[in-house]
Amino acid sequence: MRVLAVGAHPDDVELGCGASLLAHRARGDRVGLLVLTGGEHGPQGQSSRISEQEIAASILGADLFWGGFEDGAVPEGRAAVAVVEAAIRATGADVVYTHSPRDSHQDHRCAAAATLAAGRHVRRILMYETPSSIGFTPTVFVDVAEHLPGKLKALRAHVSQVSKNDLVDLDAVQAQARYRGFQARLLHAEGFETERFAWDLAADTVSTDFPQSQGIEYADARPASR
């Protein structure tokens, strides 16, 4: 499987789907990150946030692509769509993660719209939440219990946002994963909205062996005679 995660700013992808990306890597999937801006209007300036994102991408085991847009000015329309299309072609992505379109930040909304347009032929598109998401209602969940520590490590790479300015609260990130896990009947999860998610059952290997051979007895399923 080939995966592309699109974020408007450094740390967006890690916040929204970092643990899921680590789960992809654990199963041998190729992962790419497309970050549309350098976050230059945030704390510490562009050069710091770029280096932080490079470190975080390395922790995730992901290839990193930059969109080259100005922080706060991700464009609507063709320019942004073309950048996402190019990243989809470069990665060969058959799974795409992006922002939810319902968000109070204009860059996040434009990133979502551009990704949905650029990924119109992609069969699996999952939309993640960030602290500025509005009315987020996930319907797809990924079990990330084993990968939550890695997500937190990747987030810590964004020093300007986490330890210097407290813009990212790691306790809240852990609590959110626990809450989404509760919703999904798991320990920890990341939740996603979806525009489109095609499930290829033929590609999933499912055992057809019933556990009778392990000493489990089953009641007779035939209707009782009257």
Side-chain angles (χ1 to χ4, degrees), residues 24-121:
H24 279 289
R25 290 293 297 130
R27 51 168 275 154
D29 296 342
R30 183 77 177 265
V31 174
L33 307 184
L34 171 61
V35 182
L36 295 175
T37 78
E40 62 270 23
H41 295 318
Q44 303 302 309
Q46 183 176 14
S47 60
S48 173
R49 296 200 70 186
I50 286 177
S51 62
E52 290 169 359
Q53 183 62 77
E54 290 171 345
I55 294 169
S58 177
I59 292 170
L60 296 177
D63 300 317
L64 178 59
F65 303 86
W66 292 99
F69 297 116
E70 181 183 355
D71 185 9
V74 174
E76 297 182 6
R78 184 59 194 162
V81 173
V83 167
V84 181
E85 283 178 335
I88 291 174
R89 287 195 301 269
T91 58
D94 45 26
V95 178
V96 174
Y97 293 85
T98 191
H99 289 274
S100 169
R102 293 184 298 280
D103 198 287
S104 62
H105 198 300
Q106 72 277 7
D107 282 350
H108 295 182
R109 295 195 302 270
C110 290
T115 305
L116 292 174
R120 56 195 175 277
H121 300 303

Side-chain angles (χ1 to χ4, degrees), residues 31 41 43 62 74-75 90 96 105 150-151 156 166 168 174 179 181 193 199 210 224:
V31 174
H41 295 318
V74 174
V96 174
H105 198 300
K151 171 175 179 162
R156 288 190 187 97
D166 296 323
V168 175
Q174 294 183 76
Y179 176 61
E193 297 173 334
W199 189 8
F210 291 96

Side-chain angles (χ1 to χ4, degrees), residues 28-226:
D29 296 342
R30 183 77 177 265
V31 174
L33 307 184
L34 171 61
V35 182
L36 295 175
T37 78
E40 62 270 23
H41 295 318
Q44 303 302 309
Q46 183 176 14
S47 60
S48 173
R49 296 200 70 186
I50 286 177
S51 62
E52 290 169 359
Q53 183 62 77
E54 290 171 345
I55 294 169
S58 177
I59 292 170
L60 296 177
D63 300 317
L64 178 59
F65 303 86
W66 292 99
F69 297 116
E70 181 183 355
D71 185 9
V74 174
E76 297 182 6
R78 184 59 194 162
V81 173
V83 167
V84 181
E85 283 178 335
I88 291 174
R89 287 195 301 269
T91 58
D94 45 26
V95 178
V96 174
Y97 293 85
T98 191
H99 289 274
S100 169
R102 293 184 298 280
D103 198 287
S104 62
H105 198 300
Q106 72 277 7
D107 282 350
H108 295 182
R109 295 195 302 270
C110 290
T115 305
L116 292 174
R120 56 195 175 277
H121 300 303
V122 178
R123 295 187 179 94
R124 296 182 182 185
I125 298 180
L126 295 168
M127 297 175 288
Y128 57 76
E129 61 185 319
T130 66
S132 56
S133 298
I134 298 171
F136 188 83
T137 307
T139 55
V140 175
F141 298 86
V142 175
D143 185 344
V144 299
E146 295 183 11
H147 303 289
L148 184 58
K151 171 175 179 162
L152 298 175
K153 181 179 179 181
L155 283 168
R156 288 190 187 97
H158 296 278
V159 175
S160 65
Q161 311 302 296
V162 178
S163 59
K164 286 189 176 181
N165 294 283
D166 296 323
L167 295 178
V168 175
D169 184 339
L170 296 184
D171 289 338
V173 170
Q174 294 183 76
Q176 182 183 65
R178 181 67 193 96
Y179 176 61
R180 295 306 183 198
F182 171 76
Q183 289 182 305
R185 283 56 170 174
L186 298 166
L187 180 59
H188 292 103
E190 287 178 334
F192 302 95
E193 297 173 334
T194 183
E195 177 77 8
R196 182 169 55 257
F197 191 90
W199 189 8
D200 185 358
L201 291 175
D204 291 336
T205 302
V206 179
S207 174
T208 57
D209 294 330
F210 291 96
Q212 285 96 328
S213 60
Q214 299 176 15
I216 299 175
E217 296 182 359
Y218 287 84
D220 192 338
R222 293 172 294 179
S225 57
R226 294 178 181 268

